[in-house]
Amino acid sequence: MPIEVYAMMPLDMVNADGSLKYSEEEVDRWFAKLATAQHGDASSGMMIDVCWGLIENDRPKKYNEAVLAGYDKIFSIAEKNMIPIQIVLSTHKIGGNVGDSLEIPLPPFVTKHQDKENLFYVDILGSTSEDFISWAYNNKPIDSLGRTPLDMYQDYANLINDRFVSKYNIIDIAISVGPASELRYPSYQLNKGWDFPGVGSYCAYSDLMKEDLKSYAAAHGVYDLNLEDLGLSNYNDYISDPTFYSEGKYLSQNGEIFLKWYFNRLVEHGEAIIKRVAPVFPNHVAKHVKVSGIHWFAKEGVIHGAEMAAGYIRVDDWNFNPYAEIAEMLSRNDVNLAFTCAEMRDYEQPEYALSSPENLVRLVQASADEAAAMSIGVENALQRFDQSAFDTVFQHVTRNPQMRSVTWLRWGDDMEQDDNFNRYKNFIKRLGDQI
């Protein structure tokens, strides 16, 4: 089976006025260079974010024709060079992560909503995150047309399908379901002061979410569950700081109910978006959802607090694997799974972070293996072009026959530099020889 390697394009390819940040000649040169990285059944394409915040940037369902035309130019150049295209249906805020060069907020009719304290996720400090609309608002009308967020995602998918997918060689679509497109809560945000390896903040403090938790707990026979009593973590806590972990509260009845509610609602949220968005696109176009590689405090025998704050409730005492649950949900909806941190080695991480990216990637791969209909994609979490990074991804990909795609972060002057690009080309050649 073929394997695609996508070079992730810069975030600023299309400006707010629809002009291209980089000249058409320069983009053409980039894509022509990527087209030389082909060998056997392994080939190189490009990945690009198609930004909701640029396209629907005025009022509901008023789409910016100039911005759409800008994307048309990029896709046309990709077609000319006969490289495959992966797009991200970017209904999240762009930027705010390590190495990001700009920020593109959600549309103004979202960010200026009068009930922002419930529309967005709220952290332990009472601060909202405008990276993605909370699941608590998925079915509530929020714009002047009476559309819910799920309605808006479906309308946006229809626009992208009709305008681009039906015309160009777009073979894979990442469905955005959370911050940075990932199925998670915004637990480790740089703009909130988070620093590696902070455990992160649980994002369950909006009134709507607390009401929903209360109802969920009552349905399970618990009537005294208060978030304030659990001792949950803050952004830069170490794993031993919050009493939720240090006193074992996460293993109590209330802790278990809270964590299972937190996880179940996240998975339900992802599935609700998938069911509205994925059927819009043709069956021959692959669809995937990305799961974040939260590798700190991921060693075996450690409380996996960073994963848990993001929504991945990996509790060894329960023998519960959240990644298997997510993979099963994706598989039953014919959506593939992509995972990050595939370039990292355990020994590269600081000892105090109790990090294990290699074991985490293997765990997620094994979880996806159980969902037999699923293909897997991987991505590097940090921009790297050293041989060790390529070797590590190569080992993960060739170990698992369900691996069908790699996305490499990120195209630019560094990646285009001869030594780095030659390592990228050789990586693809090795894949072509192996598969």
Side-chain angles (χ1 to χ4, degrees), residues 295-306:
H295 56 87
W296 52 108
F297 306 115
K299 277 190 172 182
E300 292 303 316
V302 172
I303 297 172
H304 308 303

Side-chain angles (χ1 to χ4, degrees), residues 10-13 21-22 94-103 410:
L11 291 171
D12 57 357
M13 292 287 282
K21 173 67 179 290
Y22 310 93
I94 299 295
N97 297 299
V98 176
D100 288 347
S101 57
L102 83 168
E103 290 193 5
R410 175 182 310 271

Side-chain angles (χ1 to χ4, degrees), residues 243-374:
T243 58
F244 190 57
Y245 305 127
S246 64
E247 297 181 4
K249 293 179 181 179
Y250 72 101
L251 296 175
S252 68
Q253 182 185 39
N254 283 7
E256 180 176 350
I257 286 174
F258 166 71
L259 289 173
K260 289 185 174 178
W261 164 82
Y262 196 64
F263 172 74
N264 289 339
R265 291 293 188 257
L266 181 68
V267 176
E268 291 165 2
H269 161 76
E271 186 163 29
I273 295 175
I274 288 167
K275 285 185 176 297
R276 295 292 292 270
V277 169
V280 167
F281 300 106
N283 289 335
H284 70 269
V285 177
K287 278 79 70 174
H288 74 267
V289 160
K290 187 162 69 171
V291 173
S292 183
I294 302 177
H295 56 87
W296 52 108
F297 306 115
K299 277 190 172 182
E300 292 303 316
V302 172
I303 297 172
H304 308 303
E307 291 169 81
M308 291 157 68
Y312 309 139
I313 307 306
R314 186 155 72 103
V315 180
D316 294 340
D317 299 71
W318 301 343
N319 194 30
F320 181 76
N321 179 359
Y323 305 109
E325 299 289 324
I326 292 170
E328 194 280 327
M329 180 275 285
L330 295 176
S331 181
R332 68 173 175 258
N333 287 286
D334 296 317
V335 172
N336 299 322
L337 184 151
F339 193 68
T340 63
C341 81
E343 85 284 13
M344 295 179 173
R345 299 274 193 180
D346 289 3
Y347 72 81
E348 297 171 338
Q349 311 307 314
E351 203 168 305
Y352 60 84
L354 302 175
S355 175
S356 187
E358 293 176 81
N359 284 335
L360 191 59
V361 172
R362 285 192 286 268
L363 171 63
V364 174
Q365 285 181 330
S367 302
D369 283 347
E370 297 175 14
M374 171 180 295

